[in-house]
Coordinates of all heavy atoms in Angstrom, one line a residue:
M1 N 47.7 -71.3 -35.9 CA 46.4 -71.3 -36.4 C 46.3 -71.9 -37.8 O 45.3 -72.4 -38.2 CB 45.9 -69.8 -36.3 CG 44.4 -69.7 -36.3 SD 43.6 -70.6 -35.0 CE 43.0 -69.3 -34.0
Q2 N 47.4 -71.7 -38.5 CA 47.4 -72.2 -40.0 C 47.3 -73.8 -39.9 O 46.6 -74.3 -40.8 CB 48.7 -71.8 -40.6 CG 48.8 -70.4 -40.8 CD 48.0 -69.9 -42.0 OE1 47.6 -70.8 -42.9 NE2 47.7 -68.6 -42.1
I3 N 47.9 -74.4 -39.0 CA 47.9 -75.8 -38.9 C 46.5 -76.4 -38.5 O 46.0 -77.3 -39.1 CB 48.9 -76.4 -37.9 CG1 50.3 -76.1 -38.3 CG2 48.8 -77.9 -37.6 CD1 51.4 -76.4 -37.3
L4 N 45.8 -75.7 -37.6 CA 44.5 -76.0 -37.2 C 43.5 -75.9 -38.4 O 42.6 -76.7 -38.7 CB 44.0 -75.2 -36.0 CG 42.6 -75.4 -35.5 CD1 42.4 -76.9 -35.0 CD2 42.2 -74.4 -34.5
E5 N 43.7 -74.8 -39.1 CA 42.8 -74.6 -40.3 C 43.1 -75.7 -41.3 O 42.1 -76.2 -42.0 CB 43.1 -73.2 -40.9 CG 42.2 -72.8 -42.0 CD 42.5 -71.4 -42.5 OE1 43.3 -70.7 -41.9 OE2 41.7 -71.0 -43.4
F6 N 44.3 -76.0 -41.6 CA 44.6 -77.1 -42.5 C 44.0 -78.4 -42.1 O 43.4 -79.1 -42.9 CB 46.1 -77.3 -42.7 CG 46.4 -78.3 -43.6 CD1 46.3 -78.2 -45.0 CD2 47.0 -79.5 -43.2 CE1 46.6 -79.2 -45.9 CE2 47.4 -80.5 -44.0 CZ 47.2 -80.4 -45.4
V7 N 44.1 -78.8 -40.8 CA 43.5 -80.0 -40.3 C 42.0 -80.0 -40.4 O 41.4 -81.0 -40.8 CB 44.0 -80.2 -38.8 CG1 43.2 -81.3 -38.2 CG2 45.5 -80.5 -38.7
L8 N 41.4 -78.9 -40.1 CA 39.9 -78.8 -40.3 C 39.5 -78.9 -41.7 O 38.5 -79.5 -42.0 CB 39.4 -77.6 -39.7 CG 39.4 -77.5 -38.1 CD1 39.1 -76.1 -37.6 CD2 38.4 -78.5 -37.6
Q9 N 40.3 -78.4 -42.6 CA 40.0 -78.5 -44.1 C 40.1 -79.9 -44.6 O 39.2 -80.4 -45.3 CB 40.8 -77.6 -44.9 CG 40.5 -76.1 -44.8 CD 41.4 -75.2 -45.5 OE1 42.4 -75.6 -46.0 NE2 41.1 -73.9 -45.6
V10 N 41.1 -80.6 -44.1 CA 41.3 -82.0 -44.4 C 40.2 -82.9 -43.9 O 39.5 -83.7 -44.5 CB 42.7 -82.6 -44.0 CG1 42.7 -84.0 -44.1 CG2 43.7 -81.8 -44.8
L11 N 39.8 -82.6 -42.6 CA 38.7 -83.3 -41.9 C 37.4 -83.0 -42.7 O 36.6 -84.0 -42.9 CB 38.6 -82.8 -40.5 CG 37.5 -83.4 -39.7 CD1 37.8 -85.0 -39.4 CD2 37.3 -82.7 -38.3
L12 N 37.2 -81.8 -43.1 CA 36.0 -81.5 -43.8 C 35.9 -82.3 -45.2 O 34.9 -82.8 -45.6 CB 35.9 -80.0 -44.1 CG 34.6 -79.5 -44.8 CD1 33.4 -79.8 -44.0 CD2 34.8 -78.0 -45.1
G13 N 37.0 -82.3 -45.9 CA 37.1 -83.1 -47.1 C 36.7 -84.6 -46.9 O 36.0 -85.2 -47.7
I14 N 37.4 -85.1 -45.9 CA 37.2 -86.6 -45.6 C 35.8 -86.9 -45.2 O 35.2 -87.8 -45.7 CB 38.3 -87.0 -44.6 CG1 39.7 -87.0 -45.3 CG2 38.0 -88.5 -44.1 CD1 40.8 -87.3 -44.3
T15 N 35.3 -86.1 -44.2 CA 33.9 -86.3 -43.8 C 32.9 -86.1 -44.9 O 31.9 -86.8 -45.0 CB 33.6 -85.5 -42.6 OG1 33.8 -84.1 -42.9 CG2 34.4 -85.9 -41.4
S16 N 33.1 -85.1 -45.8 CA 32.2 -84.9 -46.9 C 32.1 -86.2 -47.8 O 31.0 -86.6 -48.2 CB 32.6 -83.7 -47.8 OG 32.6 -82.5 -47.0
L17 N 33.3 -86.7 -48.2 CA 33.3 -87.9 -49.0 C 32.7 -89.1 -48.3 O 31.8 -89.8 -48.9 CB 34.7 -88.2 -49.4 CG 35.4 -87.3 -50.4 CD1 36.8 -87.6 -50.6 CD2 34.6 -87.3 -51.7
L18 N 33.1 -89.3 -47.1 CA 32.5 -90.5 -46.3 C 30.9 -90.3 -46.1 O 30.2 -91.3 -46.2 CB 33.2 -90.7 -45.0 CG 34.6 -91.2 -45.1 CD1 35.2 -91.2 -43.7 CD2 34.6 -92.6 -45.7
L19 N 30.5 -89.1 -45.8 CA 29.1 -88.9 -45.7 C 28.3 -89.2 -46.9 O 27.2 -89.7 -46.8 CB 28.9 -87.4 -45.2 CG 27.6 -87.1 -44.5 CD1 27.3 -88.0 -43.3 CD2 27.6 -85.6 -44.0
T20 N 28.9 -88.7 -48.0 CA 28.2 -89.0 -49.4 C 28.1 -90.5 -49.5 O 27.0 -91.0 -49.9 CB 29.0 -88.4 -50.5 OG1 29.1 -87.0 -50.2 CG2 28.3 -88.6 -51.8
L21 N 29.2 -91.3 -49.3 CA 29.2 -92.7 -49.5 C 28.2 -93.4 -48.5 O 27.4 -94.3 -48.9 CB 30.5 -93.2 -49.3 CG 31.5 -92.9 -50.3 CD1 32.9 -93.4 -50.0 CD2 31.2 -93.6 -51.7
L22 N 28.1 -92.9 -47.3 CA 27.2 -93.5 -46.3 C 25.8 -93.2 -46.7 O 24.9 -94.1 -46.5 CB 27.5 -93.0 -44.9 CG 28.8 -93.6 -44.2 CD1 29.0 -92.9 -42.9 CD2 28.7 -95.1 -44.1
I23 N 25.5 -92.0 -47.1 CA 24.1 -91.8 -47.5 C 23.6 -92.6 -48.7 O 22.5 -93.1 -48.7 CB 24.0 -90.3 -47.8 CG1 24.0 -89.5 -46.5 CG2 22.7 -89.9 -48.5 CD1 24.2 -88.0 -46.7
L24 N 24.6 -92.8 -49.6 CA 24.2 -93.7 -50.7 C 24.1 -95.1 -50.4 O 23.4 -95.9 -51.1 CB 25.3 -93.6 -51.8 CG 25.3 -92.2 -52.5 CD1 26.5 -92.2 -53.5 CD2 24.1 -92.0 -53.3
L25 N 24.7 -95.6 -49.2 CA 24.6 -96.9 -48.8 C 23.2 -97.2 -48.1 O 22.8 -98.4 -48.0 CB 25.6 -97.3 -47.8 CG 27.0 -97.6 -48.3 CD1 28.0 -97.8 -47.2 CD2 27.0 -98.8 -49.2
H26 N 22.5 -96.2 -47.7 CA 21.2 -96.5 -47.0 C 20.2 -97.0 -48.0 O 20.2 -96.8 -49.2 CB 20.7 -95.1 -46.5 CG 21.3 -94.8 -45.2 ND1 22.4 -94.0 -45.1 CD2 20.8 -95.0 -43.9 CE1 22.7 -93.8 -43.8 NE2 21.7 -94.4 -43.1
K27 N 19.4 -97.8 -47.4 CA 18.3 -98.5 -48.2 C 17.3 -97.5 -48.6 O 16.8 -96.7 -47.9 CB 17.7 -99.6 -47.3 CG 16.7 -100.4 -48.0 CD 16.2 -101.6 -47.1 CE 15.7 -101.2 -45.9 NZ 15.0 -102.3 -45.1
G28 N 16.9 -97.6 -49.9 CA 15.9 -96.7 -50.4 C 14.5 -97.0 -49.9 O 14.2 -98.1 -49.7
R29 N 13.7 -96.0 -49.6 CA 12.4 -96.2 -49.1 C 11.4 -96.3 -50.2 O 10.2 -96.5 -49.9 CB 12.0 -95.0 -48.1 CG 13.0 -94.9 -46.9 CD 12.8 -96.0 -46.0 NE 13.6 -95.8 -44.8 CZ 14.3 -96.8 -44.3 NH1 14.3 -98.0 -44.8 NH2 15.1 -96.5 -43.2
G30 N 11.8 -96.0 -51.4 CA 10.8 -96.1 -52.5 C 10.2 -94.8 -52.9 O 10.1 -93.9 -52.0
G31 N 9.9 -94.6 -54.1 CA 9.3 -93.4 -54.6 C 10.2 -92.3 -54.9 O 9.8 -91.3 -55.3
G32 N 11.5 -92.5 -54.8 CA 12.4 -91.4 -55.1 C 13.3 -91.8 -56.3 O 13.0 -92.5 -57.2
L33 N 14.5 -91.3 -56.3 CA 15.4 -91.4 -57.4 C 15.9 -92.9 -57.5 O 16.3 -93.4 -58.5 CB 16.6 -90.5 -57.3 CG 16.3 -89.1 -57.7 CD1 17.6 -88.3 -57.5 CD2 15.9 -89.0 -59.1
S34 N 15.9 -93.6 -56.3 CA 16.3 -94.9 -56.3 C 15.4 -95.9 -57.1 O 15.8 -96.8 -57.8 CB 16.4 -95.5 -54.9 OG 15.2 -95.5 -54.2
D35 N 14.1 -95.6 -57.2 CA 13.2 -96.3 -58.0 C 13.4 -96.0 -59.5 O 13.3 -96.9 -60.3 CB 11.7 -95.9 -57.7 CG 11.3 -96.6 -56.4 OD1 11.9 -97.6 -55.9 OD2 10.2 -96.2 -55.8
M36 N 13.8 -94.9 -59.8 CA 14.0 -94.5 -61.1 C 15.2 -95.2 -61.8 O 15.1 -95.6 -62.9 CB 14.3 -92.9 -61.2 CG 14.4 -92.4 -62.6 SD 14.1 -90.6 -62.4 CE 15.5 -90.0 -63.2
F37 N 16.2 -95.6 -61.0 CA 17.3 -96.3 -61.5 C 17.3 -97.8 -61.1 O 18.3 -98.4 -61.1 CB 18.6 -95.7 -61.0 CG 18.8 -94.2 -61.5 CD1 18.7 -93.2 -60.7 CD2 19.0 -94.0 -62.8 CE1 18.9 -91.9 -61.2 CE2 19.2 -92.8 -63.3 CZ 19.1 -91.7 -62.5
G38 N 16.2 -98.3 -60.8 CA 16.0 -99.7 -60.4 C 16.3 -100.1 -59.0 O 16.4 -101.3 -58.7
G39 N 16.4 -99.1 -58.1 CA 16.7 -99.4 -56.8 C 15.4 -99.8 -56.0 O 15.5 -100.3 -54.9
G40 N 14.3 -99.7 -56.6 CA 13.0 -100.0 -56.0 C 12.7 -101.6 -55.9 O 11.9 -102.0 -55.2
M41 N 13.5 -102.3 -56.7 CA 13.3 -103.8 -56.7 C 13.9 -104.4 -55.4 O 14.9 -104.0 -55.0 CB 14.0 -104.4 -57.9 CG 13.5 -103.8 -59.2 SD 14.2 -104.6 -60.7 CE 15.9 -104.7 -60.3
T42 N 13.1 -105.3 -54.9 CA 13.6 -105.9 -53.6 C 14.7 -107.0 -54.0 O 14.5 -107.6 -55.0 CB 12.5 -106.6 -52.9 OG1 11.8 -107.6 -53.7 CG2 11.4 -105.6 -52.4
S43 N 15.7 -107.0 -53.1 CA 16.7 -108.0 -53.4 C 17.2 -108.6 -52.1 O 16.9 -108.0 -51.0 CB 17.9 -107.4 -54.2 OG 18.6 -106.4 -53.4
A44 N 18.0 -109.6 -52.2 CA 18.5 -110.3 -51.0 C 19.7 -109.5 -50.5 O 20.2 -109.8 -49.4 CB 18.9 -111.7 -51.3
L45 N 20.2 -108.5 -51.2 CA 21.3 -107.7 -50.8 C 21.0 -106.6 -49.7 O 21.9 -105.9 -49.3 CB 22.0 -107.1 -52.0 CG 22.6 -108.1 -53.0 CD1 23.1 -107.4 -54.2 CD2 23.6 -109.0 -52.4
G46 N 19.8 -106.4 -49.4 CA 19.4 -105.4 -48.4 C 19.9 -105.7 -47.1 O 20.2 -106.8 -46.7
S47 N 20.2 -104.7 -46.3 CA 20.8 -104.8 -45.0 C 19.8 -105.2 -44.0 O 18.6 -104.9 -44.1 CB 21.5 -103.5 -44.6 OG 20.5 -102.4 -44.6
S48 N 20.3 -105.8 -42.9 CA 19.4 -106.3 -41.9 C 19.1 -105.1 -41.0 O 19.7 -104.0 -41.1 CB 20.1 -107.4 -41.1 OG 21.2 -106.9 -40.4
G49 N 18.2 -105.3 -40.0 CA 17.9 -104.2 -39.1 C 19.0 -103.7 -38.3 O 19.2 -102.5 -38.1
L50 N 19.9 -104.5 -37.8 CA 21.0 -104.2 -37.0 C 22.0 -103.4 -37.8 O 22.5 -102.3 -37.4 CB 21.6 -105.3 -36.3 CG 22.8 -105.0 -35.4 CD1 22.4 -104.2 -34.2 CD2 23.5 -106.3 -35.0
A51 N 22.3 -103.8 -39.0 CA 23.3 -103.2 -39.9 C 22.7 -101.8 -40.3 O 23.5 -100.9 -40.3 CB 23.5 -104.0 -41.1
E52 N 21.4 -101.7 -40.5 CA 20.8 -100.4 -40.9 C 20.9 -99.5 -39.7 O 21.2 -98.2 -39.9 CB 19.4 -100.6 -41.4 CG 18.7 -99.4 -41.9 CD 19.3 -99.0 -43.2 OE1 19.7 -99.9 -44.0 OE2 19.1 -97.8 -43.6
R53 N 20.7 -99.9 -38.5 CA 20.8 -99.0 -37.3 C 22.2 -98.5 -37.1 O 22.4 -97.4 -36.8 CB 20.2 -99.8 -36.1 CG 18.7 -99.7 -35.9 CD 18.2 -100.3 -34.7 NE 18.2 -101.7 -35.1 CZ 18.1 -102.7 -34.2 NH1 18.2 -102.5 -32.9 NH2 18.1 -104.0 -34.6
N54 N 23.2 -99.4 -37.3 CA 24.5 -99.1 -37.1 C 24.9 -98.1 -38.2 O 25.7 -97.1 -37.9 CB 25.4 -100.3 -37.1 CG 25.3 -101.1 -35.8 OD1 24.9 -100.6 -34.8 ND2 25.7 -102.3 -35.9
L55 N 24.4 -98.3 -39.4 CA 24.8 -97.4 -40.5 C 24.2 -96.0 -40.2 O 24.8 -94.9 -40.4 CB 24.2 -97.9 -41.8 CG 24.6 -97.1 -43.1 CD1 26.0 -97.1 -43.3 CD2 23.9 -97.8 -44.2
N56 N 22.9 -95.9 -39.6 CA 22.3 -94.7 -39.2 C 23.1 -94.0 -38.2 O 23.4 -92.8 -38.2 CB 20.9 -94.9 -38.7 CG 20.0 -95.3 -39.8 OD1 20.1 -95.0 -41.0 ND2 18.8 -95.9 -39.5
R57 N 23.6 -94.7 -37.1 CA 24.3 -94.1 -36.1 C 25.7 -93.5 -36.6 O 26.0 -92.4 -36.2 CB 24.6 -95.1 -35.0 CG 23.4 -95.5 -34.2 CD 23.8 -96.6 -33.2 NE 22.5 -97.1 -32.6 CZ 22.3 -98.4 -32.3 NH1 23.3 -99.3 -32.4 NH2 21.2 -98.7 -31.7
F58 N 26.4 -94.3 -37.4 CA 27.6 -93.9 -37.9 C 27.4 -92.7 -38.8 O 28.2 -91.7 -38.8 CB 28.3 -95.0 -38.7 CG 29.8 -94.7 -39.0 CD1 30.7 -94.5 -38.0 CD2 30.2 -94.6 -40.3 CE1 32.0 -94.3 -38.3 CE2 31.5 -94.3 -40.6 CZ 32.4 -94.2 -39.6
T59 N 26.3 -92.6 -39.6 CA 26.0 -91.4 -40.5 C 25.7 -90.2 -39.6 O 26.3 -89.2 -39.9 CB 24.9 -91.8 -41.4 OG1 25.1 -93.0 -42.1 CG2 24.6 -90.6 -42.3
I60 N 25.1 -90.4 -38.5 CA 24.7 -89.2 -37.7 C 26.0 -88.7 -37.0 O 26.2 -87.5 -37.0 CB 23.7 -89.6 -36.6 CG1 22.4 -89.8 -37.3 CG2 23.6 -88.6 -35.5 CD1 21.3 -90.5 -36.4
V61 N 26.9 -89.6 -36.5 CA 28.1 -89.2 -35.9 C 29.0 -88.4 -36.9 O 29.6 -87.4 -36.6 CB 28.9 -90.3 -35.3 CG1 30.3 -90.0 -34.9 CG2 28.1 -90.9 -34.1
L62 N 29.1 -88.9 -38.2 CA 29.9 -88.3 -39.2 C 29.3 -87.0 -39.6 O 30.1 -86.0 -39.8 CB 30.0 -89.3 -40.4 CG 31.2 -89.0 -41.3 CD1 32.5 -89.1 -40.6 CD2 31.1 -90.0 -42.5
A63 N 28.0 -86.9 -39.6 CA 27.4 -85.6 -40.0 C 27.6 -84.6 -38.9 O 27.8 -83.4 -39.2 CB 25.8 -85.8 -40.2
L64 N 27.6 -85.0 -37.6 CA 27.9 -84.0 -36.5 C 29.4 -83.6 -36.6 O 29.7 -82.4 -36.4 CB 27.7 -84.7 -35.2 CG 26.3 -84.8 -34.8 CD1 26.2 -85.6 -33.5 CD2 25.7 -83.5 -34.6
A65 N 30.4 -84.5 -37.0 CA 31.8 -84.1 -37.2 C 31.9 -83.1 -38.3 O 32.6 -82.2 -38.3 CB 32.7 -85.3 -37.4
W66 N 31.1 -83.4 -39.4 CA 31.1 -82.5 -40.6 C 30.6 -81.1 -40.2 O 31.2 -80.1 -40.6 CB 30.2 -83.2 -41.6 CG 30.2 -82.4 -43.0 CD1 31.0 -82.4 -43.9 CD2 29.0 -81.6 -43.3 NE1 30.5 -81.6 -45.0 CE2 29.3 -81.1 -44.6 CE3 27.8 -81.3 -42.7 CZ2 28.5 -80.3 -45.3 CZ3 26.9 -80.5 -43.4 CH2 27.3 -80.0 -44.7
F67 N 29.5 -81.1 -39.5 CA 28.9 -79.8 -39.1 C 29.9 -79.0 -38.1 O 30.1 -77.8 -38.3 CB 27.6 -80.0 -38.3 CG 26.9 -78.8 -37.9 CD1 26.3 -78.0 -38.8 CD2 26.9 -78.4 -36.5 CE1 25.7 -76.8 -38.4 CE2 26.3 -77.3 -36.2 CZ 25.7 -76.4 -37.1
I68 N 30.5 -79.7 -37.2 CA 31.4 -79.1 -36.3 C 32.6 -78.5 -37.0 O 33.1 -77.4 -36.7 CB 31.8 -80.0 -35.1 CG1 30.6 -80.2 -34.2 CG2 33.0 -79.5 -34.3 CD1 30.8 -81.3 -33.2
S69 N 33.2 -79.3 -38.0 CA 34.3 -78.7 -38.7 C 34.0 -77.5 -39.5 O 34.8 -76.6 -39.7 CB 34.9 -79.9 -39.5 OG 34.0 -80.2 -40.5
I70 N 32.7 -77.5 -40.1 CA 32.3 -76.3 -40.9 C 32.2 -75.1 -39.9 O 32.6 -74.0 -40.3 CB 31.0 -76.6 -41.6 CG1 31.2 -77.4 -42.8 CG2 30.3 -75.3 -42.1 CD1 30.0 -77.8 -43.5
V71 N 31.6 -75.2 -38.8 CA 31.4 -74.1 -37.8 C 32.8 -73.6 -37.4 O 33.1 -72.5 -37.3 CB 30.5 -74.6 -36.6 CG1 30.5 -73.6 -35.6 CG2 29.1 -74.8 -37.1
A72 N 33.7 -74.6 -37.0 CA 35.0 -74.2 -36.6 C 35.8 -73.4 -37.7 O 36.4 -72.4 -37.4 CB 35.8 -75.4 -36.2
L73 N 35.7 -73.9 -38.9 CA 36.3 -73.2 -40.0 C 35.7 -71.8 -40.2 O 36.5 -70.8 -40.5 CB 36.3 -74.0 -41.3 CG 37.3 -75.1 -41.5 CD1 37.0 -75.9 -42.7 CD2 38.6 -74.4 -41.7
G74 N 34.4 -71.7 -40.0 CA 33.8 -70.4 -40.2 C 34.2 -69.4 -39.1 O 34.5 -68.3 -39.3
L75 N 34.4 -69.9 -37.8 CA 34.8 -69.1 -36.7 C 36.3 -68.7 -36.9 O 36.7 -67.5 -36.7 CB 34.6 -69.8 -35.4 CG 33.2 -69.9 -35.0 CD1 33.1 -70.9 -33.7 CD2 32.6 -68.6 -34.7
I76 N 37.1 -69.6 -37.3 CA 38.5 -69.3 -37.6 C 38.6 -68.2 -38.7 O 39.4 -67.2 -38.6 CB 39.3 -70.5 -38.0 CG1 39.5 -71.4 -36.8 CG2 40.6 -70.1 -38.6 CD1 40.1 -72.7 -37.1
T77 N 37.8 -68.3 -39.8 CA 37.9 -67.4 -40.9 C 37.4 -66.0 -40.4 O 37.9 -64.9 -40.8 CB 37.0 -67.9 -42.0 OG1 37.4 -69.1 -42.4 CG2 37.0 -66.9 -43.2
K78 N 36.3 -66.0 -39.6 CA 35.8 -64.8 -39.0 C 36.7 -64.0 -38.2 O 36.9 -62.8 -38.3 CB 34.5 -65.1 -38.3 CG 33.9 -63.8 -37.8 CD 32.6 -64.1 -37.1 CE 32.0 -62.8 -36.5 NZ 30.7 -63.1 -35.8
F79 N 37.4 -64.7 -37.3 CA 38.3 -64.0 -36.3 C 39.7 -63.9 -36.8 O 40.5 -63.4 -36.1 CB 38.2 -64.8 -35.0 CG 37.0 -64.7 -34.3 CD1 36.1 -65.8 -34.1 CD2 36.4 -63.4 -33.9 CE1 34.8 -65.7 -33.5 CE2 35.2 -63.3 -33.3 CZ 34.5 -64.5 -33.1
Q80 N 40.0 -64.5 -38.0 CA 41.4 -64.4 -38.5 C 41.7 -62.9 -38.9 O 42.8 -62.4 -38.8 CB 41.6 -65.3 -39.7 CG 43.0 -65.8 -39.8 CD 43.0 -67.0 -40.8 OE1 42.2 -67.1 -41.7 NE2 43.9 -67.8 -40.6
G81 N 40.7 -62.2 -39.4 CA 40.9 -60.9 -39.9 C 41.0 -59.8 -38.8 O 41.4 -58.6 -39.0
L82 N 40.7 -60.2 -37.5 CA 40.7 -59.2 -36.4 C 42.1 -58.9 -35.9 O 43.0 -59.5 -35.9 CB 39.8 -59.7 -35.3 CG 38.4 -59.8 -35.7 CD1 37.6 -60.3 -34.4 CD2 37.8 -58.4 -36.1

């Protein structure tokens, strides 16, 4: 059980970092913090429709893996004391 808990903690750390990076890669919609720091200006570096959809899909899959690892760690912690 110790090995599974360690693997889930490493998975949680990696998915947390990757999820943060992927969320920051998304195109700003305007009116938020991205406008405050100059992200509201249009540029040629914006992603295309297909790339944005793929980024959305990968972010959702990574968020699900992050959520499942948190739930699994919670269940392990809860039932470890029994």
Side-chain angles (χ1 to χ4, degrees):
M1 201 56 113
Q2 294 283 342
I3 295 173
L4 179 62
E5 187 175 357
F6 178 74
V7 168
L8 285 172
Q9 286 176 351
V10 169
L11 179 68
L12 181 63
I14 290 172
T15 55
S16 296
L17 290 174
L18 287 175
L19 198 56
T20 303
L21 290 174
L22 285 177
I23 289 171
L24 289 174
L25 281 175
H26 279 86
K27 186 170 55 171
R29 300 285 183 228
L33 285 177
S34 62
D35 282 345
M36 189 161 126
F37 296 111
M41 300 185 316
T42 58
S43 67
L45 297 176
S47 59
S48 67
L50 180 63
E52 187 72 24
R53 276 183 278 160
N54 288 335
L55 185 62
N56 287 338
R57 290 178 187 146
F58 193 63
T59 304
I60 290 170
V61 168
L62 199 61
L64 287 174
W66 180 81
F67 180 75
I68 290 169
S69 65
I70 286 180
V71 170
L73 276 171
L75 289 174
I76 288 172
T77 304
K78 180 179 179 178
F79 293 117
Q80 209 168 29
L82 297 179

